[in-house]
Amino acid sequence: MAAIGTWAFSYPVVEKMKLHLLQQKPATDCVEESLADVEDNLETGKYIVGRGGYPNRDGQVQCDAAIMEGRPGRFGAVAALRCIGTPVSVARQIMEKSNHSMLVGEGALAFAKDQGFKVEDNKRMLSPESAKAYQDFTEKKKECKGHDTLGLIALDLDGNIAVGVSSSGIPFKSSGRVGDSPLPGCGLYADNRVGAAAATGDGDKIMCFCPSFHVVHLMKQGLCPADACQAVLNDIQERIGTKDMFEIGLIAMNIKGDVGAASSVEFPYTFWHNGREDVQLHTQLPI
């Protein structure tokens, strides 16, 4: 059993995942419930996840989220979903109940309504901080940078692996913009025979390289998680050049519970595996 999460703010989340796994919860439930807790917390919106996240140019909070199991064909995602507090749970229901794998915009919202999710006014999706930032953007053209996607991977007692990601996207993005987070192979990927990976950073650039699939593919070829992540970043940098390298962080876990990461920036991540009492916080230095 093991768990890993992107960025330092995932520390209490991975602690919850640890407890869920020790209670023998399935990896998918562990990932969904832990992600949903963060999405629905106004205080963690400052990390650009769910409720409290920064709105788009029209003042609407639109979220992307996805969940993927290591079993073949088990994937669900939403993109540009508004007015729902737990986008990853809608993604889970798409995986479980829809003939489709991804729904976006008003179609995703209609599906969420059909599944009984509470639809909330956009004002309730904004925190005082994000509302003030939007006001400063509209009145003073003041930008607000950031893209701290939350990515989580869990390996359960039965050897099943699951990965989930969630993001409210870059602040003041164009309406309908979709990042890498909900795209399989880009923001996340999982294979029960090998392991799983997740990405965070500049989603508009990340989606051009399918890094999560690439990491898992390299682990399948025998690389450990850390070496696989590093190899993918090296490949991207070789292709585009050092001066054009963008912000990207990768985490990975193999089916044995070994973890690793690589990043183009200083990148804290948290992890735990069975046999270790405490969750660990590690900072990955940039390439």
Coordinates of all heavy atoms in Angstrom, one line a residue, residues 13-94:
V13 N -3.6 15.6 3.0 CA -4.4 14.8 2.1 C -3.8 13.4 2.0 O -4.6 12.4 2.1 CB -4.5 15.4 0.6 CG1 -5.4 14.6 -0.2 CG2 -4.9 16.8 0.7
V14 N -2.5 13.3 1.9 CA -1.9 12.0 1.9 C -2.0 11.3 3.2 O -2.1 10.1 3.3 CB -0.4 12.1 1.4 CG1 0.4 10.8 1.6 CG2 -0.3 12.6 0.0
E15 N -2.0 12.1 4.3 CA -2.3 11.5 5.6 C -3.6 10.8 5.7 O -3.8 9.7 6.2 CB -2.2 12.5 6.7 CG -0.7 12.9 7.1 CD -0.7 13.8 8.3 OE1 -1.5 14.7 8.4 OE2 0.2 13.6 9.1
K16 N -4.6 11.4 5.1 CA -6.0 10.8 5.0 C -6.0 9.6 4.1 O -6.6 8.6 4.4 CB -7.0 11.9 4.4 CG -7.3 13.0 5.4 CD -8.3 13.9 4.7 CE -8.6 15.1 5.6 NZ -9.6 16.1 5.0
M17 N -5.2 9.7 3.0 CA -5.1 8.5 2.1 C -4.5 7.3 2.9 O -4.9 6.2 2.7 CB -4.3 8.9 0.9 CG -5.0 9.9 0.0 SD -3.9 10.4 -1.3 CE -3.8 9.0 -2.4
K18 N -3.5 7.6 3.7 CA -2.9 6.6 4.5 C -3.9 5.9 5.4 O -4.0 4.6 5.4 CB -1.8 7.2 5.3 CG -1.2 6.3 6.4 CD -0.4 7.1 7.4 CE -0.1 6.3 8.7 NZ 0.7 7.1 9.7
L19 N -4.7 6.7 6.1 CA -5.7 6.1 6.9 C -6.7 5.3 6.2 O -7.1 4.2 6.6 CB -6.4 7.2 7.7 CG -5.6 8.0 8.7 CD1 -6.4 9.1 9.4 CD2 -5.0 7.1 9.8
H20 N -7.2 5.8 5.0 CA -8.1 5.0 4.2 C -7.5 3.7 3.7 O -8.2 2.7 3.8 CB -8.5 5.9 2.9 CG -9.3 7.0 3.2 ND1 -10.3 7.1 4.2 CD2 -9.4 8.3 2.6 CE1 -10.9 8.2 4.2 NE2 -10.4 9.0 3.2
L21 N -6.3 3.7 3.3 CA -5.6 2.5 2.8 C -5.5 1.5 3.9 O -5.6 0.3 3.7 CB -4.3 2.8 2.2 CG -4.4 3.6 0.8 CD1 -3.0 4.1 0.4 CD2 -4.9 2.7 -0.3
L22 N -5.1 2.0 5.1 CA -4.9 1.1 6.3 C -6.3 0.5 6.7 O -6.3 -0.6 7.3 CB -4.3 1.8 7.4 CG -2.8 2.2 7.2 CD1 -2.3 3.0 8.4 CD2 -2.0 0.9 7.1
Q23 N -7.4 1.2 6.4 CA -8.7 0.6 6.6 C -9.2 -0.3 5.5 O -10.3 -0.7 5.4 CB -9.7 1.8 6.8 CG -9.5 2.6 8.1 CD -10.2 3.9 8.1 OE1 -10.9 4.3 7.1 NE2 -10.1 4.7 9.2
Q24 N -8.3 -0.5 4.5 CA -8.5 -1.4 3.4 C -9.5 -0.9 2.4 O -10.2 -1.7 1.8 CB -8.9 -2.8 3.9 CG -7.8 -3.5 4.8 CD -8.1 -4.9 5.1 OE1 -8.9 -5.6 4.5 NE2 -7.5 -5.4 6.2
K25 N -9.6 0.4 2.3 CA -10.4 1.0 1.3 C -9.8 0.8 -0.1 O -8.6 0.8 -0.2 CB -10.6 2.5 1.5 CG -11.7 2.8 2.5 CD -12.1 4.3 2.5 CE -13.2 4.6 3.4 NZ -13.7 6.0 3.3
P26 N -10.6 0.6 -1.2 CA -10.1 0.5 -2.5 C -9.4 1.8 -2.9 O -9.7 2.9 -2.5 CB -11.3 0.3 -3.4 CG -12.3 -0.3 -2.4 CD -12.1 0.4 -1.1
A27 N -8.3 1.6 -3.8 CA -7.5 2.8 -4.2 C -8.4 3.9 -4.8 O -8.2 5.1 -4.6 CB -6.5 2.3 -5.2
T28 N -9.4 3.5 -5.6 CA -10.2 4.5 -6.3 C -11.0 5.3 -5.3 O -11.1 6.5 -5.5 CB -11.2 3.8 -7.3 OG1 -10.4 2.9 -8.2 CG2 -11.9 4.8 -8.2
D29 N -11.6 4.6 -4.3 CA -12.4 5.4 -3.3 C -11.4 6.3 -2.5 O -11.8 7.5 -2.2 CB -13.0 4.4 -2.3 CG -14.1 3.6 -2.9 OD1 -14.6 3.9 -4.0 OD2 -14.6 2.6 -2.3
C30 N -10.3 5.8 -2.2 CA -9.3 6.6 -1.5 C -8.9 7.9 -2.3 O -8.9 9.0 -1.7 CB -8.0 5.8 -1.3 SG -6.7 6.6 -0.5
V31 N -8.7 7.8 -3.6 CA -8.3 8.9 -4.4 C -9.5 9.9 -4.5 O -9.3 11.1 -4.3 CB -7.8 8.5 -5.8 CG1 -7.7 9.6 -6.7 CG2 -6.5 7.8 -5.7
E32 N -10.7 9.3 -4.9 CA -11.8 10.2 -5.0 C -12.2 11.0 -3.8 O -12.3 12.2 -3.8 CB -13.0 9.4 -5.5 CG -14.3 10.3 -5.7 CD -15.6 9.5 -5.6 OE1 -15.6 8.3 -5.6 OE2 -16.6 10.2 -5.5
E33 N -12.3 10.3 -2.7 CA -12.7 11.0 -1.4 C -11.7 12.0 -1.0 O -12.1 13.1 -0.5 CB -12.9 9.9 -0.3 CG -14.1 9.0 -0.6 CD -14.3 7.9 0.4 OE1 -13.7 8.0 1.5 OE2 -15.0 6.9 0.1
S34 N -10.4 11.7 -1.1 CA -9.4 12.6 -0.7 C -9.3 13.8 -1.6 O -9.2 15.0 -1.1 CB -8.0 11.9 -0.7 OG -8.0 10.8 0.2
L35 N -9.5 13.6 -2.9 CA -9.5 14.8 -3.8 C -10.7 15.6 -3.5 O -10.7 16.9 -3.5 CB -9.5 14.3 -5.2 CG -8.2 14.3 -6.0 CD1 -8.4 13.7 -7.4 CD2 -7.6 15.6 -6.1
A36 N -11.9 15.0 -3.4 CA -13.1 15.7 -3.2 C -13.1 16.6 -1.9 O -13.7 17.7 -1.9 CB -14.3 14.7 -3.1
D37 N -12.5 16.1 -0.9 CA -12.3 16.9 0.4 C -11.6 18.2 0.1 O -12.0 19.3 0.6 CB -11.6 16.1 1.4 CG -12.4 15.0 2.1 OD1 -13.6 15.1 1.9 OD2 -11.8 14.2 2.8
V38 N -10.6 18.2 -0.7 CA -9.8 19.4 -1.1 C -10.7 20.3 -2.0 O -10.7 21.5 -1.8 CB -8.5 19.0 -1.7 CG1 -7.7 20.3 -2.1 CG2 -7.6 18.2 -0.8
E39 N -11.3 19.7 -3.0 CA -12.1 20.4 -4.0 C -13.2 21.3 -3.3 O -13.4 22.4 -3.6 CB -12.7 19.5 -5.0 CG -11.8 18.9 -6.0 CD -12.6 17.9 -6.9 OE1 -13.5 17.3 -6.4 OE2 -12.2 17.8 -8.0
D40 N -13.8 20.7 -2.2 CA -14.9 21.3 -1.6 C -14.6 22.2 -0.4 O -15.4 22.7 0.3 CB -15.9 20.2 -1.1 CG -17.3 20.7 -1.1 OD1 -17.7 21.6 -1.8 OD2 -18.1 20.1 -0.3
N41 N -13.3 22.4 -0.3 CA -12.8 23.2 0.9 C -12.4 24.6 0.3 O -11.5 24.8 -0.5 CB -11.6 22.6 1.5 CG -11.1 23.3 2.7 OD1 -11.4 24.5 3.0 ND2 -10.2 22.6 3.5
L42 N -13.1 25.6 0.8 CA -12.9 27.0 0.3 C -11.4 27.5 0.6 O -10.9 28.2 -0.2 CB -13.9 28.0 1.0 CG -14.2 29.3 0.3 CD1 -14.8 29.1 -1.0 CD2 -15.0 30.2 1.2
E43 N -10.8 27.0 1.7 CA -9.5 27.4 2.1 C -8.4 26.9 1.1 O -7.4 27.6 0.9 CB -9.2 26.9 3.5 CG -10.1 27.6 4.5 CD -9.9 29.1 4.6 OE1 -8.8 29.6 4.5 OE2 -11.0 29.8 4.6
T44 N -8.6 25.8 0.5 CA -7.6 25.2 -0.4 C -7.8 25.7 -1.9 O -7.0 25.3 -2.7 CB -7.6 23.7 -0.4 OG1 -8.9 23.2 -0.6 CG2 -7.1 23.2 1.0
G45 N -8.8 26.5 -2.1 CA -9.0 27.1 -3.4 C -7.8 27.9 -3.9 O -7.5 28.0 -5.1
K46 N -7.1 28.5 -2.9 CA -5.9 29.3 -3.3 C -4.8 28.5 -4.0 O -4.0 29.1 -4.7 CB -5.3 29.9 -2.0 CG -4.8 29.0 -1.0 CD -4.4 29.7 0.3 CE -4.0 28.7 1.4 NZ -3.7 29.4 2.7
Y47 N -4.9 27.2 -3.9 CA -4.0 26.3 -4.6 C -4.5 25.9 -6.0 O -4.0 25.0 -6.6 CB -3.7 25.0 -3.8 CG -3.1 25.3 -2.4 CD1 -3.8 25.0 -1.3 CD2 -1.9 26.0 -2.3 CE1 -3.2 25.3 0.0 CE2 -1.3 26.2 -1.1 CZ -2.0 25.9 0.1 OH -1.4 26.2 1.3
I48 N -5.6 26.6 -6.4 CA -6.1 26.4 -7.7 C -6.8 25.1 -7.9 O -6.5 24.4 -8.9 CB -5.1 26.8 -8.8 CG1 -4.4 28.1 -8.5 CG2 -5.7 26.9 -10.2 CD1 -3.4 28.6 -9.5
V49 N -7.6 24.7 -6.9 CA -8.3 23.4 -6.9 C -9.7 23.7 -6.4 O -9.9 24.1 -5.3 CB -7.6 22.4 -6.0 CG1 -8.4 21.1 -6.0 CG2 -6.2 22.1 -6.5
G50 N -10.7 23.5 -7.2 CA -12.1 23.4 -6.8 C -12.6 24.7 -6.2 O -12.3 25.8 -6.7
R51 N -13.5 24.6 -5.2 CA -14.2 25.7 -4.6 C -13.1 26.7 -4.1 O -12.2 26.3 -3.4 CB -15.1 25.2 -3.5 CG -16.0 26.3 -2.9 CD -16.7 25.8 -1.6 NE -17.5 24.6 -1.9 CZ -18.7 24.6 -2.3 NH1 -19.3 25.8 -2.6 NH2 -19.4 23.5 -2.5
G52 N -13.3 28.0 -4.3 CA -12.3 28.9 -3.9 C -11.2 29.2 -4.9 O -10.3 30.1 -4.7
G53 N -11.2 28.4 -6.0 CA -10.3 28.6 -7.1 C -10.5 29.9 -7.8 O -11.6 30.5 -7.7
Y54 N -9.6 30.3 -8.7 CA -9.7 31.6 -9.4 C -10.6 31.4 -10.6 O -10.6 30.4 -11.3 CB -8.3 32.1 -9.8 CG -7.5 32.4 -8.7 CD1 -6.6 31.5 -8.2 CD2 -7.6 33.7 -8.0 CE1 -5.8 31.8 -7.1 CE2 -6.8 34.0 -6.9 CZ -5.9 33.0 -6.5 OH -5.1 33.4 -5.4
P55 N -11.5 32.3 -10.9 CA -12.4 32.2 -12.0 C -11.8 32.5 -13.3 O -10.6 32.9 -13.4 CB -13.4 33.3 -11.7 CG -12.7 34.4 -11.0 CD -11.6 33.6 -10.1
N56 N -12.6 32.2 -14.4 CA -12.1 32.6 -15.7 C -12.3 34.1 -16.0 O -12.7 34.8 -15.2 CB -12.7 31.7 -16.8 CG -14.3 31.8 -16.8 OD1 -14.8 32.8 -16.4 ND2 -15.0 30.8 -17.4
R57 N -12.1 34.5 -17.3 CA -12.3 35.9 -17.6 C -13.7 36.4 -17.4 O -13.9 37.6 -17.3 CB -11.8 36.1 -19.1 CG -10.3 36.0 -19.2 CD -9.8 36.2 -20.7 NE -8.4 36.1 -20.7 CZ -7.6 37.2 -20.5 NH1 -8.1 38.4 -20.3 NH2 -6.2 37.0 -20.6
D58 N -14.6 35.5 -17.5 CA -16.0 35.9 -17.3 C -16.5 35.8 -15.9 O -17.7 36.0 -15.6 CB -16.9 35.0 -18.2 CG -16.6 35.1 -19.7 OD1 -16.2 36.2 -20.1 OD2 -16.8 34.1 -20.4
G59 N -15.6 35.5 -15.0 CA -15.9 35.4 -13.5 C -16.5 34.1 -13.1 O -16.9 34.0 -11.9
Q60 N -16.5 33.1 -13.9 CA -17.0 31.8 -13.6 C -15.8 30.8 -13.2 O -14.8 30.8 -13.8 CB -17.7 31.1 -14.8 CG -19.0 31.8 -15.2 CD -20.1 31.4 -14.3 OE1 -20.2 30.3 -13.9 NE2 -21.0 32.4 -14.0
V61 N -16.0 30.1 -12.1 CA -15.1 29.1 -11.7 C -15.4 27.8 -12.5 O -16.5 27.2 -12.4 CB -15.1 28.7 -10.2 CG1 -14.2 27.6 -9.9 CG2 -14.8 30.0 -9.4
Q62 N -14.5 27.4 -13.4 CA -14.7 26.2 -14.2 C -13.5 25.2 -13.9 O -12.4 25.6 -14.0 CB -14.6 26.6 -15.7 CG -15.8 27.3 -16.2 CD -15.8 27.6 -17.7 OE1 -14.7 27.8 -18.3 NE2 -16.9 27.4 -18.4
C63 N -13.9 24.0 -13.5 CA -13.0 23.0 -13.1 C -12.8 21.9 -14.0 O -13.7 21.4 -14.7 CB -13.4 22.5 -11.7 SG -13.5 23.8 -10.4
D64 N -11.6 21.3 -14.0 CA -11.2 20.1 -14.7 C -10.9 19.1 -13.7 O -10.2 19.4 -12.7 CB -10.0 20.3 -15.6 CG -10.2 21.4 -16.7 OD1 -11.4 21.7 -17.0 OD2 -9.2 21.9 -17.2
A65 N -11.3 17.8 -13.9 CA -10.9 16.7 -13.0 C -11.0 15.4 -13.7 O -11.8 15.3 -14.6 CB -11.8 16.7 -11.7
A66 N -10.2 14.4 -13.2 CA -10.3 13.1 -13.8 C -9.8 12.1 -12.8 O -9.1 12.4 -11.9 CB -9.4 13.1 -15.1
I67 N -10.3 10.8 -13.1 CA -9.9 9.7 -12.2 C -9.7 8.5 -13.2 O -10.4 8.3 -14.2 CB -10.9 9.4 -11.1 CG1 -10.4 8.5 -10.1 CG2 -12.2 8.9 -11.7 CD1 -11.2 8.5 -8.8
M68 N -8.6 7.7 -12.9 CA -8.3 6.6 -13.7 C -7.8 5.5 -12.9 O -7.0 5.6 -11.9 CB -7.2 7.0 -14.7 CG -6.9 5.9 -15.8 SD -5.7 6.6 -17.0 CE -5.9 5.3 -18.3
E69 N -8.3 4.3 -13.2 CA -7.9 3.1 -12.5 C -6.8 2.4 -13.4 O -6.8 2.6 -14.6 CB -9.0 2.1 -12.3 CG -10.0 2.7 -11.3 CD -11.2 1.7 -11.0 OE1 -11.3 0.7 -11.8 OE2 -11.9 1.9 -10.0
G70 N -6.1 1.5 -12.7 CA -5.1 0.7 -13.5 C -5.7 -0.4 -14.3 O -5.1 -1.0 -15.2
R71 N -7.0 -0.8 -14.0 CA -7.7 -1.7 -14.8 C -8.0 -1.1 -16.2 O -8.4 0.0 -16.3 CB -9.0 -2.2 -14.1 CG -8.7 -3.0 -12.9 CD -10.0 -3.5 -12.3 NE -10.8 -2.4 -11.7 CZ -12.0 -2.5 -11.3 NH1 -12.7 -3.6 -11.5 NH2 -12.6 -1.5 -10.7
P72 N -8.0 -1.9 -17.3 CA -8.2 -1.4 -18.6 C -9.6 -0.7 -18.8 O -10.6 -1.3 -18.3 CB -8.0 -2.6 -19.5 CG -7.2 -3.5 -18.8 CD -7.6 -3.3 -17.3
G73 N -9.6 0.4 -19.4 CA -10.8 1.1 -19.8 C -11.6 1.8 -18.7 O -12.7 2.2 -18.8
R74 N -10.9 2.0 -17.5 CA -11.5 2.6 -16.4 C -11.0 4.0 -16.2 O -10.0 4.3 -15.6 CB -11.3 1.8 -15.1 CG -11.8 0.4 -15.2 CD -13.3 0.4 -14.9 NE -13.6 0.7 -13.5 CZ -14.8 1.1 -13.1 NH1 -15.8 1.1 -13.9 NH2 -14.9 1.4 -11.8
F75 N -11.8 5.0 -16.8 CA -11.4 6.4 -16.8 C -12.7 7.2 -16.9 O -13.6 6.9 -17.6 CB -10.5 6.7 -18.0 CG -10.2 8.1 -18.2 CD1 -9.3 8.8 -17.5 CD2 -10.9 8.9 -19.2 CE1 -9.0 10.1 -17.7 CE2 -10.7 10.2 -19.4 CZ -9.7 10.8 -18.6
G76 N -12.7 8.3 -16.2 CA -13.7 9.3 -16.2 C -13.2 10.7 -16.0 O -12.3 10.9 -15.2
A77 N -13.8 11.7 -16.7 CA -13.3 13.1 -16.6 C -14.3 14.1 -16.9 O -15.3 13.8 -17.6 CB -12.1 13.3 -17.6
V78 N -14.1 15.3 -16.3 CA -15.0 16.4 -16.6 C -14.0 17.6 -17.0 O -12.9 17.6 -16.5 CB -15.9 16.8 -15.5 CG1 -16.9 15.8 -15.2 CG2 -15.1 17.1 -14.2
A79 N -14.5 18.5 -17.8 CA -13.7 19.7 -18.1 C -14.6 20.9 -18.2 O -15.8 20.8 -18.6 CB -13.0 19.5 -19.4
A80 N -14.1 22.0 -17.8 CA -14.9 23.3 -17.8 C -16.2 23.1 -17.1 O -17.3 23.6 -17.5 CB -15.1 23.8 -19.2
L81 N -16.2 22.4 -16.0 CA -17.4 22.1 -15.2 C -17.6 23.3 -14.2 O -16.7 23.6 -13.4 CB -17.3 20.8 -14.5 CG -18.5 20.5 -13.5 CD1 -19.8 20.4 -14.3 CD2 -18.2 19.2 -12.8
R82 N -18.8 23.9 -14.2 CA -19.0 25.0 -13.2 C -20.1 24.6 -12.2 O -20.9 23.6 -12.4 CB -19.5 26.2 -14.0 CG -20.8 26.0 -14.7 CD -21.2 27.3 -15.5 NE -22.5 27.1 -16.2 CZ -23.7 27.3 -15.6 NH1 -23.7 27.7 -14.4 NH2 -24.8 27.1 -16.3
C83 N -20.1 25.3 -11.1 CA -21.2 25.2 -10.1 C -21.3 23.9 -9.3 O -22.3 23.6 -8.7 CB -22.5 25.6 -10.7 SG -22.5 27.3 -11.4
I84 N -20.3 23.0 -9.4 CA -20.3 21.8 -8.7 C -19.1 21.7 -7.7 O -17.9 22.0 -8.1 CB -20.2 20.6 -9.6 CG1 -21.4 20.6 -10.6 CG2 -20.2 19.3 -8.8 CD1 -22.8 20.3 -9.9
G85 N -19.3 21.4 -6.4 CA -18.2 21.5 -5.4 C -17.2 20.4 -5.5 O -16.1 20.5 -5.0
T86 N -17.6 19.2 -6.1 CA -16.7 18.1 -6.1 C -16.6 17.5 -7.6 O -17.2 16.5 -7.9 CB -17.1 17.0 -5.2 OG1 -18.5 16.6 -5.4 CG2 -17.0 17.5 -3.7
P87 N -15.9 18.2 -8.4 CA -15.8 17.7 -9.8 C -15.3 16.3 -10.0 O -15.7 15.6 -10.9 CB -14.8 18.7 -10.5 CG -15.0 20.0 -9.6 CD -15.2 19.5 -8.2
V88 N -14.3 15.9 -9.1 CA -13.8 14.5 -9.3 C -14.8 13.5 -9.0 O -14.8 12.4 -9.6 CB -12.5 14.3 -8.4 CG1 -12.9 14.2 -6.9 CG2 -11.7 13.1 -8.8
S89 N -15.8 13.8 -8.2 CA -16.9 12.8 -7.9 C -17.8 12.7 -9.1 O -18.3 11.6 -9.4 CB -17.7 13.2 -6.7 OG -16.9 13.1 -5.5
V90 N -18.0 13.8 -9.9 CA -18.7 13.7 -11.1 C -17.9 12.9 -12.1 O -18.5 12.0 -12.8 CB -19.0 15.1 -11.7 CG1 -19.8 15.0 -13.0 CG2 -19.7 16.0 -10.7
A91 N -16.6 13.1 -12.2 CA -15.8 12.3 -13.1 C -15.9 10.8 -12.7 O -15.9 9.9 -13.6 CB -14.3 12.7 -13.0
R92 N -15.9 10.5 -11.4 CA -16.1 9.1 -11.0 C -17.4 8.5 -11.5 O -17.5 7.3 -11.9 CB -16.0 9.0 -9.5 CG -16.3 7.6 -8.8 CD -15.2 6.6 -9.0 NE -15.5 5.3 -8.5 CZ -15.4 4.9 -7.2 NH1 -14.9 5.8 -6.3 NH2 -15.6 3.7 -6.9
Q93 N -18.5 9.3 -11.4 CA -19.8 8.8 -11.9 C -19.8 8.6 -13.4 O -20.5 7.7 -13.9 CB -20.9 9.7 -11.4 CG -21.1 9.7 -9.9 CD -21.4 8.3 -9.4 OE1 -22.3 7.6 -9.8 NE2 -20.6 7.8 -8.5
I94 N -19.1 9.4 -14.1 CA -18.9 9.2 -15.5 C -18.3 7.9 -15.8 O -18.7 7.1 -16.7 CB -18.2 10.4 -16.2 CG1 -19.0 11.7 -16.2 CG2 -17.8 10.0 -17.6 CD1 -18.3 12.9 -16.6

